[in-house]
Every structure is written in structure tokens, then in C-alpha cells.
Amino acid sequence: MDVRIDKAMEMLRNPEKSIGEIACLVGYQDERHFSKLFSKMTGVKPTEYRRFYV
């Protein structure tokens, strides 16, 4: 799971891909589930990460 989230964090730096696309590319079919796990592991939602940490 750590590897998937790390890869997602890397991919979120590219604004051309949607969060749903990134979720699929790292192995999660459900964007909501991915967002929940991402938030749990990083402390921020994927949209917040993209906005503030990129």
C-alpha cells in the first residue's frame, strides 16, 4: 500500500491526470476508496495534496 500511495503522490504532481485516473493507475478501481486511503496515510486528501504540496 505504501508503494501505491508513494506512486500516487508522484503522479499527483502532473495536473493533466485526474485523481480517478491516478487511482486506477496505482491499482484502485474506486476513486472514493483511494481518496480515503490516501487521506488516512498522508493526512491530506489527494486534491489538497495536489493544491498545496505541488
Side-chain angles (χ1 to χ4, degrees):
M1 193 166 22
D2 290 336
V3 174
R4 288 180 177 186
I5 297 300
D6 288 342
K7 187 66 176 172
M9 290 170 76
E10 185 181 310
M11 296 174 101
L12 283 166
R13 295 184 186 114
N14 180 357
E16 294 177 12
K17 292 194 186 303
S18 72
I19 292 171
E21 286 178 290
I22 292 169
C24 285
L25 290 170
V26 296
Y28 296 99
Q29 294 179 2
D30 182 14
E31 181 180 344
R32 288 172 47 147
H33 179 68
F34 165 74
S35 292
K36 202 181 277 189
L37 286 174
F38 188 93
S39 297
K40 184 176 181 181
M41 293 188 71
T42 65
V44 295
K45 296 176 183 178
T47 52
E48 293 169 342
Y49 179 84
R50 178 174 267 173
R51 193 171 350 156
F52 295 116
Y53 294 97
V54 177

